[in-house]
Amino acid sequence: MLIERFELPDVVHFEPKKFGDHRGYFSEIFRKDWFSENIGDFDLIQENQSLSASSGTVRGLHFQTAPFAQGKLVRCLSGALVDVIVDIRRGSPAYGHWMAVELTAERGNQLWVPPGFAHGFCTIQPNTILCYKVTAYYSVENDKGMAWDDPAVGIEWPSVANPELLSAKDKVQPTLAELPPYFSYGAC
Ligand SMILES: Cc1cn([C@H]2C[C@H](O)[C@@H](COP(=O)(O)OP(=O)(O)O[C@H]3O[C@H](C)C(=O)[C@H](O)[C@H]3O)O2)c(=O)[nH]c1=O
């Protein structure tokens, strides 16, 4: 199985094996033992799914604060998207750094987004479905965000990104510099 780690600590990208035959394919999407050994002993207790009808839809950048900080195991069920994360853990060697990974239904690749990261994505095909397991329940009081287009972070979004498709909430998110110190490296 392909497994990748990055300059941003604790982030893991992997692609489960597919067993193809004349009918199509079979793939083990999640195994607790593999996840615990290669990523960590997290409890994935809620699963979310979103459909974005238009290519160029940007959702994010979002995160939940303690005690509902979320790790996210993200994959694309239909279409394709560019997943973007920003390390917002004060003290991290990669604080304020971003990275992007293309997730497609075709590949079935997955991204582990640790707690302490802001997460968002831009769809690059219509009718793209994102499906992701999280390690803490939704808490509207702890549901926070940061600006997708923060010039100090400098995310290079796909050229199809369409700001008109942003949610009202995402049009007015604070910049990284305006965020309180929600997360400390090594403590979330
Ligand atoms: C996240 C969430 C939302 N909701 C409700 C709240 C709103 O009434 C509605 C849409 O929520 P929102 O506009 O925050 O959805 P997205 O813009 O897709 O946000 C999500 O997508 C980005 C990329 C993320 O990483 C977060 O997990 C999540 O914030 O669903 C729930 O009931 N439970 C939930 O867990």
Side-chain angles (χ1 to χ4, degrees):
M1 178 191 311
L2 168 132
I3 181 166
E4 277 184 286
R5 299 177 191 275
F6 305 92
E7 175 242 344
L8 275 63
D10 310 316
V11 177
V12 180
H13 172 235
F14 62 97
E15 185 168 329
K17 182 172 172 52
K18 284 186 177 171
F19 296 92
D21 63 23
H22 66 282
R23 300 165 299 173
Y25 73 83
F26 175 90
S27 180
E28 289 185 354
I29 298 305
F30 178 77
R31 282 183 62 114
K32 176 76 177 160
D33 55 358
W34 185 92
F35 188 86
S36 299
E37 184 181 337
N38 291 279
I39 295 175
D41 262 333
F42 294 92
D43 256 348
L44 296 163
I45 60 174
Q46 178 180 312
E47 188 164 33
N48 303 326
Q49 183 165 308
S50 66
L51 165 71
S52 300
S54 304
S55 184
T57 302
V58 174
R59 295 179 186 247
L61 298 160
H62 302 156
F63 56 91
Q64 290 195 169
T65 56
F68 292 94
Q70 292 176 322
K72 301 172 184 173
L73 181 59
V74 183
R75 67 193 180 109
C76 177
L77 287 191
S78 171
L81 59 95
V82 173
D83 215 55
V84 174
I85 59 177
V86 183
D87 190 344
I88 58 175
R89 300 170 296 181
R90 296 296 175 97
S92 167
Y95 177 75
H97 295 191
W98 66 275
M99 64 170 279
V101 174
E102 185 173 296
L103 301 177
T104 71
E106 176 69 26
R107 280 188 64 187
N109 53 331
Q110 300 184 38
L111 185 67
W112 167 247
V113 183
F117 281 73
H119 174 245
F121 64 91
C122 177
T123 60
I124 55 176
Q125 286 183 17
N127 299 316
T128 287
I129 296 175
L130 182 80
C131 180
Y132 52 110
K133 297 178 178 68
V134 295
T135 61
Y137 292 120
Y138 175 60
S139 167
V140 64
E141 297 79 18
N142 299 86
D143 186 22
K144 307 295 181 187
M146 63 174 273
W148 70 293
D149 57 351
D150 184 340
V153 179
I155 296 168
E156 295 165 18
W157 292 95
S159 57
V160 292
N162 181 353
E164 289 177 18
L165 295 173
L166 288 164
S167 65
K169 170 177 81 172
D170 287 346
K171 285 179 177 170
V172 294
Q173 297 283 15
T175 64
L176 177 61
E178 292 166 334
L179 286 182
Y182 289 128
F183 302 103
S184 296
Y185 185 59
C188 54

Coordinates of all heavy atoms in Angstrom, one line a residue, residues 124-179:
I124 N -12.8 19.7 -8.2 CA -12.3 19.9 -9.5 C -13.1 19.1 -10.6 O -12.7 19.0 -11.7 CB -10.8 19.6 -9.6 CG1 -10.5 18.1 -9.1 CG2 -9.9 20.6 -8.9 CD1 -9.0 17.7 -9.3
Q125 N -14.2 18.6 -10.1 CA -15.2 17.9 -11.0 C -16.6 18.3 -10.4 O -16.7 18.5 -9.2 CB -15.0 16.4 -11.0 CG -13.8 16.0 -11.8 CD -13.7 14.4 -11.9 OE1 -14.7 13.7 -11.6 NE2 -12.5 13.9 -12.3
P126 N -17.6 18.2 -11.2 CA -19.0 18.4 -10.7 C -19.4 17.2 -9.9 O -18.8 16.1 -10.0 CB -19.9 18.7 -11.9 CG -19.1 18.1 -13.0 CD -17.6 18.2 -12.7
N127 N -20.4 17.4 -9.0 CA -21.0 16.3 -8.2 C -19.9 15.5 -7.5 O -19.9 14.3 -7.6 CB -21.8 15.4 -9.2 CG -23.0 16.2 -9.8 OD1 -23.7 16.9 -9.1 ND2 -23.1 16.0 -11.1
T128 N -19.1 16.2 -6.8 CA -18.0 15.6 -6.0 C -18.5 15.4 -4.6 O -19.1 16.3 -4.0 CB -16.8 16.5 -6.0 OG1 -16.1 16.4 -7.3 CG2 -15.8 16.0 -5.0
I129 N -18.3 14.1 -4.1 CA -18.7 13.8 -2.7 C -17.5 13.5 -1.9 O -16.6 12.7 -2.3 CB -19.6 12.5 -2.8 CG1 -20.9 12.8 -3.5 CG2 -19.9 12.1 -1.3 CD1 -21.8 11.6 -3.7
L130 N -17.5 14.2 -0.8 CA -16.4 14.0 0.2 C -17.0 13.2 1.4 O -18.1 13.5 1.8 CB -15.9 15.4 0.8 CG -14.7 15.3 1.8 CD1 -13.4 15.0 1.0 CD2 -14.6 16.5 2.6
C131 N -16.3 12.2 1.8 CA -16.7 11.4 3.0 C -15.6 11.3 4.0 O -14.4 11.1 3.6 CB -17.1 10.0 2.4 SG -17.7 8.9 3.7
Y132 N -15.9 11.6 5.3 CA -14.8 11.6 6.2 C -15.2 11.3 7.6 O -16.3 11.7 8.1 CB -14.0 13.0 6.2 CG -14.9 14.2 6.4 CD1 -14.9 14.9 7.6 CD2 -15.7 14.7 5.4 CE1 -15.6 16.1 7.7 CE2 -16.5 15.8 5.5 CZ -16.5 16.5 6.7 OH -17.2 17.6 6.9
K133 N -14.4 10.4 8.3 CA -14.6 10.0 9.6 C -13.9 11.0 10.5 O -12.8 11.5 10.2 CB -14.1 8.6 9.9 CG -14.8 7.5 9.1 CD -14.2 6.2 9.4 CE -14.9 5.1 8.6 NZ -14.7 5.1 7.2
V134 N -14.5 11.3 11.7 CA -13.9 12.3 12.6 C -13.8 11.7 14.0 O -14.5 10.8 14.4 CB -14.6 13.7 12.6 CG1 -14.5 14.3 11.3 CG2 -16.1 13.5 13.0
T135 N -12.9 12.3 14.8 CA -12.6 11.7 16.1 C -13.3 12.4 17.3 O -13.1 12.1 18.4 CB -11.0 11.8 16.4 OG1 -10.7 13.2 16.4 CG2 -10.2 11.1 15.4
A136 N -14.1 13.4 16.9 CA -15.0 14.1 18.0 C -16.3 14.5 17.3 O -16.4 14.8 16.1 CB -14.2 15.3 18.5
Y137 N -17.3 14.5 18.2 CA -18.6 14.9 17.7 C -18.7 16.4 17.2 O -17.9 17.2 17.7 CB -19.7 14.6 18.7 CG -19.9 13.1 19.0 CD1 -19.7 12.6 20.3 CD2 -20.2 12.2 17.9 CE1 -19.8 11.2 20.5 CE2 -20.4 10.9 18.2 CZ -20.2 10.4 19.5 OH -20.3 9.0 19.7
Y138 N -19.6 16.7 16.3 CA -19.8 18.0 15.9 C -20.2 18.9 17.1 O -21.1 18.5 17.9 CB -20.9 18.1 14.9 CG -21.3 19.5 14.4 CD1 -20.4 20.3 13.9 CD2 -22.7 19.9 14.6 CE1 -20.8 21.6 13.4 CE2 -23.1 21.2 14.2 CZ -22.1 22.0 13.6 OH -22.5 23.3 13.2
S139 N -19.6 20.0 17.3 CA -20.0 21.0 18.3 C -20.1 22.4 17.7 O -19.0 22.9 17.4 CB -19.0 20.9 19.5 OG -19.2 22.1 20.3
V140 N -21.3 22.9 17.6 CA -21.4 24.2 16.9 C -20.7 25.3 17.6 O -20.1 26.2 17.0 CB -22.9 24.5 16.7 CG1 -23.6 24.7 18.0 CG2 -23.1 25.7 15.8
E141 N -20.6 25.2 18.9 CA -19.8 26.2 19.7 C -18.3 26.1 19.4 O -17.6 27.1 19.6 CB -20.1 26.0 21.2 CG -21.5 26.2 21.7 CD -22.4 25.0 21.4 OE1 -21.8 23.9 21.2 OE2 -23.6 25.1 21.4
N142 N -17.9 25.0 19.0 CA -16.4 24.8 18.8 C -16.0 24.7 17.3 O -14.9 24.5 17.0 CB -16.0 23.5 19.5 CG -16.2 23.5 21.0 OD1 -17.3 23.1 21.5 ND2 -15.2 23.9 21.8
D143 N -17.0 25.0 16.5 CA -16.8 24.9 15.0 C -16.3 26.3 14.6 O -17.0 27.3 14.6 CB -18.2 24.6 14.4 CG -18.0 24.4 12.8 OD1 -16.9 24.1 12.4 OD2 -19.0 24.6 12.1
K144 N -15.0 26.3 14.2 CA -14.3 27.6 13.9 C -13.7 27.5 12.5 O -13.7 26.4 11.9 CB -13.2 27.9 14.9 CG -13.6 27.8 16.3 CD -14.6 28.9 16.7 CE -14.9 28.9 18.2 NZ -16.0 29.8 18.5
G145 N -13.2 28.6 12.0 CA -12.6 28.6 10.7 C -11.6 29.7 10.5 O -11.4 30.5 11.3
M146 N -10.9 29.6 9.3 CA -10.0 30.6 9.0 C -10.1 30.9 7.5 O -10.6 30.0 6.7 CB -8.5 30.3 9.3 CG -7.9 29.1 8.6 SD -6.2 28.9 9.0 CE -5.5 29.9 7.7
A147 N -9.6 32.1 7.0 CA -9.9 32.5 5.7 C -9.2 31.5 4.7 O -8.0 31.2 4.8 CB -9.4 33.9 5.5
W148 N -9.9 31.2 3.6 CA -9.4 30.3 2.6 C -8.3 31.0 1.8 O -7.4 30.4 1.3 CB -10.5 29.8 1.7 CG -11.0 30.9 0.8 CD1 -11.7 32.0 1.1 CD2 -10.8 31.0 -0.6 NE1 -12.0 32.7 0.1 CE2 -11.5 32.2 -1.1 CE3 -10.2 30.2 -1.6 CZ2 -11.5 32.6 -2.4 CZ3 -10.2 30.6 -2.9 CH2 -10.9 31.8 -3.3
D149 N -8.4 32.3 1.8 CA -7.5 33.1 0.9 C -6.6 34.0 1.7 O -6.2 35.1 1.2 CB -8.3 33.9 -0.1 CG -9.3 34.8 0.6 OD1 -9.4 34.7 1.8 OD2 -9.9 35.7 -0.1
D150 N -6.2 33.6 2.9 CA -5.3 34.4 3.7 C -3.9 34.6 3.0 O -3.2 33.6 2.8 CB -5.0 33.6 5.0 CG -4.2 34.4 6.1 OD1 -3.5 35.3 5.6 OD2 -4.2 34.0 7.2
P151 N -3.6 35.8 2.7 CA -2.4 36.1 1.9 C -1.1 35.7 2.7 O -0.1 35.3 2.0 CB -2.4 37.6 1.7 CG -3.4 38.2 2.6 CD -4.4 37.1 2.9
A152 N -1.2 35.6 4.0 CA 0.0 35.3 4.8 C 0.3 33.8 4.7 O 1.4 33.3 4.9 CB -0.2 35.7 6.2
V153 N -0.8 33.0 4.4 CA -0.6 31.6 4.2 C -0.3 31.2 2.8 O 0.5 30.3 2.5 CB -1.9 30.8 4.7 CG1 -1.7 29.3 4.6 CG2 -2.1 31.2 6.2
G154 N -1.0 31.9 1.8 CA -0.6 31.8 0.4 C -1.0 30.5 -0.2 O -0.2 29.9 -1.0
I155 N -2.1 29.9 0.1 CA -2.5 28.6 -0.5 C -2.7 28.8 -2.0 O -3.4 29.8 -2.4 CB -3.8 28.1 0.2 CG1 -3.6 27.8 1.6 CG2 -4.4 26.9 -0.6 CD1 -4.9 27.6 2.4
E156 N -2.2 27.9 -2.8 CA -2.3 27.9 -4.2 C -3.5 27.0 -4.6 O -3.3 25.8 -4.8 CB -1.0 27.5 -4.9 CG 0.1 28.5 -4.7 CD 1.5 27.9 -5.0 OE1 1.5 26.9 -5.8 OE2 2.5 28.4 -4.6
W157 N -4.7 27.5 -4.6 CA -5.9 26.8 -4.9 C -6.0 26.5 -6.4 O -5.4 27.2 -7.2 CB -7.2 27.6 -4.5 CG -7.3 27.7 -3.0 CD1 -6.9 28.8 -2.2 CD2 -7.9 26.8 -2.1 NE1 -7.2 28.6 -0.9 CE2 -7.9 27.3 -0.8 CE3 -8.5 25.5 -2.3 CZ2 -8.3 26.7 0.3 CZ3 -9.0 24.9 -1.1 CH2 -8.9 25.5 0.1
P158 N -6.7 25.4 -6.8 CA -6.9 25.2 -8.2 C -7.5 26.4 -8.9 O -8.3 27.2 -8.3 CB -7.9 24.0 -8.2 CG -7.7 23.3 -6.9 CD -7.4 24.4 -5.9
S159 N -7.2 26.6 -10.2 CA -7.7 27.8 -10.9 C -9.2 27.8 -11.0 O -9.8 28.9 -11.2 CB -7.0 27.8 -12.3 OG -7.3 26.6 -13.0
V160 N -9.8 26.7 -10.9 CA -11.3 26.6 -11.0 C -12.0 27.2 -9.7 O -13.2 27.3 -9.7 CB -11.8 25.2 -11.3 CG1 -11.4 24.7 -12.6 CG2 -11.4 24.2 -10.2
A161 N -11.3 27.4 -8.6 CA -11.9 27.8 -7.4 C -12.7 29.0 -7.6 O -12.3 30.0 -8.2 CB -10.8 28.1 -6.3
N162 N -14.0 29.0 -7.2 CA -15.0 30.0 -7.4 C -15.5 30.6 -6.1 O -16.3 30.1 -5.5 CB -16.1 29.5 -8.2 CG -17.2 30.5 -8.6 OD1 -17.1 31.7 -8.1 ND2 -18.1 30.2 -9.4
P163 N -15.0 31.8 -5.8 CA -15.3 32.5 -4.5 C -16.8 32.7 -4.4 O -17.4 32.7 -3.2 CB -14.6 33.8 -4.5 CG -13.5 33.6 -5.5 CD -14.0 32.7 -6.5
E164 N -17.5 32.8 -5.5 CA -19.0 33.0 -5.4 C -19.7 31.8 -4.8 O -20.8 31.9 -4.3 CB -19.5 33.3 -6.8 CG -19.1 34.7 -7.3 CD -19.6 35.0 -8.8 OE1 -20.5 34.2 -9.2 OE2 -19.0 35.8 -9.4
L165 N -19.1 30.6 -4.8 CA -19.7 29.4 -4.3 C -19.4 29.2 -2.8 O -19.9 28.3 -2.2 CB -19.2 28.2 -5.1 CG -19.6 28.2 -6.6 CD1 -19.0 27.0 -7.3 CD2 -21.2 28.1 -6.7
L166 N -18.6 30.1 -2.2 CA -18.4 30.0 -0.8 C -19.6 30.1 0.0 O -20.6 30.9 -0.4 CB -17.4 31.1 -0.3 CG -15.9 30.9 -0.8 CD1 -15.2 32.3 -0.6 CD2 -15.2 29.8 0.0
S167 N -19.7 29.4 1.2 CA -20.8 29.7 2.1 C -20.7 31.1 2.7 O -19.6 31.6 2.7 CB -20.8 28.6 3.2 OG -19.7 28.8 4.0
A168 N -21.8 31.6 3.2 CA -21.7 32.9 3.8 C -20.7 33.0 4.9 O -19.9 33.9 5.0 CB -23.1 33.3 4.4
K169 N -20.6 31.9 5.7 CA -19.6 31.8 6.8 C -18.2 31.8 6.3 O -17.4 32.5 6.8 CB -19.9 30.4 7.5 CG -18.9 30.0 8.5 CD -19.3 28.7 9.2 CE -18.9 27.5 8.4 NZ -19.2 26.2 9.1
D170 N -18.0 31.1 5.2 CA -16.6 31.1 4.6 C -16.2 32.3 3.9 O -15.0 32.5 3.7 CB -16.5 29.8 3.7 CG -16.5 28.5 4.5 OD1 -16.3 28.6 5.7 OD2 -16.6 27.5 3.9
K171 N -17.1 33.2 3.6 CA -16.7 34.5 3.0 C -16.2 35.5 4.0 O -15.5 36.5 3.6 CB -18.0 35.1 2.3 CG -18.3 34.4 1.0 CD -19.5 35.0 0.4 CE -19.8 34.3 -1.0 NZ -21.1 34.7 -1.6
V172 N -16.3 35.2 5.3 CA -15.9 36.2 6.4 C -15.1 35.5 7.5 O -15.1 36.0 8.6 CB -17.2 36.9 7.0 CG1 -17.9 37.7 5.9 CG2 -18.1 35.8 7.6
Q173 N -14.3 34.5 7.1 CA -13.5 33.8 8.2 C -12.3 34.7 8.5 O -11.8 35.4 7.6 CB -13.0 32.5 7.7 CG -14.2 31.4 7.4 CD -14.7 30.8 8.6 OE1 -14.5 31.3 9.8 NE2 -15.5 29.7 8.4
P174 N -11.8 34.6 9.7 CA -10.6 35.4 10.1 C -9.3 34.9 9.5 O -9.3 33.7 9.1 CB -10.6 35.2 11.7 CG -11.3 34.0 11.9 CD -12.3 33.8 10.9
T175 N -8.3 35.7 9.5 CA -7.0 35.2 9.0 C -6.3 34.5 10.1 O -6.7 34.5 11.3 CB -6.1 36.4 8.6 OG1 -5.9 37.2 9.8 CG2 -6.8 37.3 7.5
L176 N -5.3 33.7 9.7 CA -4.5 33.0 10.7 C -4.0 33.9 11.8 O -4.1 33.6 13.0 CB -3.3 32.3 10.0 CG -2.4 31.5 10.9 CD1 -3.1 30.4 11.7 CD2 -1.2 30.9 10.1
A177 N -3.5 35.1 11.5 CA -3.0 36.0 12.5 C -4.1 36.5 13.5 O -3.8 36.8 14.6 CB -2.4 37.2 11.8
E178 N -5.3 36.4 13.0 CA -6.4 36.9 13.9 C -7.0 35.8 14.8 O -7.8 36.0 15.7 CB -7.6 37.4 13.0 CG -7.2 38.7 12.3 CD -8.2 39.1 11.1 OE1 -8.9 38.1 10.6 OE2 -8.4 40.2 10.8
L179 N -6.5 34.5 14.6 CA -7.0 33.4 15.4 C -6.4 33.4 16.8 O -5.2 33.6 16.9 CB -6.7 32.1 14.7 CG -7.5 31.7 13.4 CD1 -7.0 30.3 13.0 CD2 -9.0 31.7 13.7

